[in-house]
Amino acid sequence: MTTVAGPPVYRAARPNGWWGMAIFLAAEATLFGMIVGSYFYLRFNTLRWPPAGIPEPKLVIPLVLTIALVAAGALVQLALAAARRGRRARAWWVLLAATAVQAAYATGQIHLMRADLAHFTPQTSAYASIYYVLIGAGVAHVLVGLLLDVWLLARLATGITRYRLVGLQATALYWHVVNAIAVVVLLTEVSPRL
């Protein structure tokens, strides 16, 4: 029996920045798991959900906003692909488009929350409290992502470096997880209508 000896084949390791973001996102996913778990614990231990006097959650606008946010995540992935190919200008413009859509999502969600505050406050009931925590935490994560986008736009304006490419990889991972969380938040938010 003959064996062919050759050099070992190693896959390229992910950069430390990517792993740091992955660990951070695992913690954030756990946080959202606890919020969603609390939501359903309260829901199944309450006779009427949402309580009397609180309108059922909106369906169409949050759905459209979430679809737009997920589409923006695809744009971030396209920006990463362009940056990997050394196409700095294309990466910058695609990331700018994603940032605009993500900002529109955050603005729309904040507007919906402010409109809901006219009908009920977090102190109104357990439903109101967990509703605002759920939506507010989701919006907060989008705002953090927007800060990452703005930082990357400023860096990519002057060129692509290995460091900036790792930052874009970590940011793309961030947006993929935030988009998955946004879908879970949407399904939880509209669950009383289902």
Side-chain angles (χ1 to χ4, degrees):
M1 175 161 119
T2 358
T3 59
V4 178
V9 178
Y10 298 102
R11 290 186 48 201
R14 294 212 185 264
N16 290 341
W18 186 92
W19 282 108
M21 183 62 79
I23 292 167
F24 169 73
L25 291 169
E28 295 304 297
T30 302
L31 170 71
F32 274 94
M34 290 186 302
I35 294 170
V36 169
S38 297
Y39 178 96
F40 285 106
Y41 173 80
L42 292 168
R43 178 180 181 182
F44 294 128
N45 286 296
T46 305
L47 293 177
R48 183 170 171 160
W49 196 261
I54 296 179
E56 282 197 344
K58 295 166 190 69
L59 180 62
V60 175
I61 295 173
L63 178 64
V64 170
L65 289 173
T66 303
I67 289 169
L69 185 67
V70 171
L75 290 175
V76 174
Q77 191 64 40
L78 288 174
L80 174 59
R84 284 180 172 154
R85 289 191 305 272
R87 299 180 67 192
R88 184 197 57 81
R90 179 169 173 75
W92 191 89
W93 283 106
V94 173
L95 184 60
L96 180 65
T99 303
V101 173
Q102 293 154 345
Y105 171 88
T107 302
Q109 285 288 30
I110 290 169
H111 175 73
L112 289 174
M113 283 177 58
R114 289 187 66 193
D116 287 338
L117 281 170
H119 301 289
F120 60 99
T121 66
Q123 298 82 7
T124 304
S125 65
Y127 169 83
S129 176
I130 196 68
Y131 170 83
Y132 284 112
V133 168
L134 180 69
I135 305 302
V139 171
H141 281 78
V142 171
L143 294 175
V144 168
L146 287 170
L147 291 175
L148 290 170
D149 287 352
V150 169
W151 179 83
L152 279 168
L153 286 167
R155 301 284 75 84
L156 289 175
T158 59
I160 297 173
T161 64
R162 173 83 176 128
Y163 177 74
R164 293 169 186 171
L165 191 58
V166 169
L168 189 52
Q169 276 182 296
T171 301
L173 176 62
Y174 180 87
W175 280 114
H176 294 317
V177 172
V178 167
N179 287 340
I181 288 171
V183 170
V184 170
V185 166
L186 172 70
L187 293 173
T188 303
E189 176 187 0
V190 302
S191 65
R193 294 186 68 123
L194 303 177

